[in-house]
C-alpha cells in the first residue's frame, strides 16, 4: 500500500472535497480520484462517499481515519529514528495565532537555514487546544501562552517572551492618562474567553474601572486597526511584531504593575523527535535574542 494514498485520503477528509484536496496536494482532481479508488480497492471498502462536488467519510473510512493519521506519523518518525547522526525528519508543531504571525517565522527561518533536512508540520490553534495535543502526543511541541494550570509531568515549558498589558489608543491621545482613557473612551475588548483577555478584565476590575464597552473580539491585529479608525481604545498585551502597516497608534504603559502575558514553548519529553524539539528550542532562544538587540 502506498502511504501517499493514505495521505490523500486524510487530506480529502480534512478539506471536505476532492478539488480542495487536489489544490493542497498540488495534483489534479483526477489523480486524487484515482488514488482513492486504488486505496479503496486495496482496503476492500468504500472510504469516501461522493455527493455532488462535496464528499463525506463513510463509516468504514471513519474506522480507519485515526489509524491512518497515526500510521503516517509513525512513517515520518522512521527518518528521525534512523538518522542518529544527523538532524532530520518531521517536527509536528502547534502555534497560537499571535505566535504564528509574530515570533514563529523568525524561528523557522533560522531552523531551515541551519538544518535543511528538517520538515515542519504546523497546526494553528488556540493555546488550550494545543496543550492538549502536545499532552496526547499529537504534536511534539507548541508555541503557546503560558497555561494558568500546572503542566503534566510528561511536558516541559520554556519562556520566550513576556508581554505586559498596555493601553492601545489613537496617536493623538498619546499623552493622556491610561486609566482616564479606559474609563471615558469606548472600549474595544480583547476577548475574555482568551487568557490575555481575562488578564485585561482582571486589571480593570482590580482598579474599579467600569469601561464603556463597544466591541469584543479575539483578533489583536483587527483591534489595532479599529483603534486607528477612532472606534475606541483597548487594553491588550504588547504583542510581537509585525503589526498592520500604516497605523497611527499610541502604546501607553500602565501606571500599576501587571502580570505579563507569557509566550513560550511546551513540549513532550516522550516524543521520539526530541532531537528536533531540541533544535526548535535552540533556534527559538537565538531568534528571541536577535529581537532584543
Amino acid at each position: 500500500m502506498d502511504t501517499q494514498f493514505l495521505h490523500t485520503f486524510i487530506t480529502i477528509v480534512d478539506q471536505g472535497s476532492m478539488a480542495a484536496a487536489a489544490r493542497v496536494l498540488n495534483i489534479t482532481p483526477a489523480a486524487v480520484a484515482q488514488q482513492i479508488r486504488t486505496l479503496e480497492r486495496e482496503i476492500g471498502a468504500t472510504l469516501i462517499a461522493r455527493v455532488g462536488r462535496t464528499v463525506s467519510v463513510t463509516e468504514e473510512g471513519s474506522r480507519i481515519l485515526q489509524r491512518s493519521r497515526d500510521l503516517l506519523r509513525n512513517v515520518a518518525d522512521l527518518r528521525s529514528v534512523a538518522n542518529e547522526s544527523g538532524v532530520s525528519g518531521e517536527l509536528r508543531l502547534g502555534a497560537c495565532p499571535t505566535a504564528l504571525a509574530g515570533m514563529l517565522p523568525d524561528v523557522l527561518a533560522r531552523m531551515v537555514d541551519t538544518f535543511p533536512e528538517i520538515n515542519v508540520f504546523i497546526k494553528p490553534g488556540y493555546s488550550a487546544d494545543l496543550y492538549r495535543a502536545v499532552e496526547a502526543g499529537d504534536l511534539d511541541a507548541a508555541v503557546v501562552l503560558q497555561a494558568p494550570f500546572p503542566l503534566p509531568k510528561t511536558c516541559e515549558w520554556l519562556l520566550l517572551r513576556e508581554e505586559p498589558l498596555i493601553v492601545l489608543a489613537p496617536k493623538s491621545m498619546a499623552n493622556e492618562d491610561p486609566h482616564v482613557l479606559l474609563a471615558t473612551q469606548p472600549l474595544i475588548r480583547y476577548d475574555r474567553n482568551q487568557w490575555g483577555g481575562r488578564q485585561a478584565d482582571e486589571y480593570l476590575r482590580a482598579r474599579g474601572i467600569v469601561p464603556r464597552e463597544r466591541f469584543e473580539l479575539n483578533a489583536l491585529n483587527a483591534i489595532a486597526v479599529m483603534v486607528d479608525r477612532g472606534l475606541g481604545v483597548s487594553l491588550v498585551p504588547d504583542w510581537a511584531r509585525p503589526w498592520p502597516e500604516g497605523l497611527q497608534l499610541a502604546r501607553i504603559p500602565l501606571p500599576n504593575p501587571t502580570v505579563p502575558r507569557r509566550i513560550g514553548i511546551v513540549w513532550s519529553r516522550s516524543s521520539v523527535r526530541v532531537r528536533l524539539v531540541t533544535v526548535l528550542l535552540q533556534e527559538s532562544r537565538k531568534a528571541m535574542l536577535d529581537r532584543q538587540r
Side-chain angles (χ1 to χ4, degrees), residues 151-197:
L151 291 180
K153 294 181 180 179
T154 56
C155 295
E156 293 195 36
W157 160 266
L158 171 70
L159 176 65
L160 294 179
R161 176 182 171 86
E162 291 188 333
E163 300 177 340
L165 288 173
I166 57 169
V167 172
L168 201 61
K171 194 171 184 179
S172 61
M173 300 179 181
N175 296 321
E176 300 290 333
D177 181 279
H179 283 182
V180 172
L181 290 176
L182 291 170
T184 61
Q185 297 296 314
L187 180 69
I188 305 170
R189 266 196 187 273
Y190 186 28
D191 186 0
R192 282 167 286 190
N193 291 314
Q194 306 305 314
W195 296 338

Side-chain angles (χ1 to χ4, degrees), residues 42-256:
E42 293 180 345
I43 294 289
T46 300
L47 305 177
I48 295 293
R50 300 156 184 83
V51 183
R53 294 187 177 183
T54 63
V55 299
S56 61
V57 62
T58 65
E59 182 179 347
E60 294 82 358
S62 295
R63 291 192 196 121
I64 72 164
L65 181 59
Q66 187 55 51
R67 290 195 180 187
S68 298
R69 294 186 193 276
D70 294 340
L71 175 60
L72 290 185
R73 188 165 61 244
N74 290 337
V75 169
D77 287 345
L78 292 176
R79 190 176 183 183
S80 294
V81 173
N83 289 279
E84 293 292 341
S85 59
V87 179
S88 62
E90 182 181 75
L91 176 70
R92 299 183 63 82
L93 180 64
C96 64
T98 303
L100 190 61
M103 300 164 55
L104 193 57
D106 289 343
V107 175
L108 296 177
R110 297 187 65 98
M111 285 182 63
V112 299
D113 183 56
T114 309
F115 301 98
E117 295 302 313
I118 292 179
N119 299 319
V120 184
F121 167 85
I122 303 171
K123 178 181 180 179
Y126 294 121
S127 294
D129 297 330
L130 296 176
Y131 272 102
R132 287 191 288 268
V134 171
E135 184 179 357
D138 297 328
L139 296 174
D140 304 307
V143 186
V144 289
L145 306 183
Q146 186 175 29
F149 50 77
L151 291 180
K153 294 181 180 179
T154 56
C155 295
E156 293 195 36
W157 160 266
L158 171 70
L159 176 65
L160 294 179
R161 176 182 171 86
E162 291 188 333
E163 300 177 340
L165 288 173
I166 57 169
V167 172
L168 201 61
K171 194 171 184 179
S172 61
M173 300 179 181
N175 296 321
E176 300 290 333
D177 181 279
H179 283 182
V180 172
L181 290 176
L182 291 170
T184 61
Q185 297 296 314
L187 180 69
I188 305 170
R189 266 196 187 273
Y190 186 28
D191 186 0
R192 282 167 286 190
N193 291 314
Q194 306 305 314
W195 296 338
R198 288 200 290 270
Q199 283 182 307
D201 185 57
E202 289 166 4
Y203 183 89
L204 293 170
R205 290 175 181 274
R207 275 74 189 174
I209 299 172
V210 181
R212 296 166 50 202
E213 297 187 33
R214 175 169 280 177
F215 305 103
E216 183 168 358
L217 66 158
N218 176 29
L220 290 172
N221 280 349
I223 288 174
V225 175
M226 294 166 75
V227 171
D228 177 72
R229 300 300 191 270
L231 294 175
V233 301
S234 192
L235 182 59
V236 292
D238 192 10
W239 74 95
R241 298 294 191 272
W243 287 21
E245 294 184 5
L247 304 185
Q248 300 294 311
L249 299 173
R251 296 161 51 244
I252 307 173
L254 295 170
N256 303 118

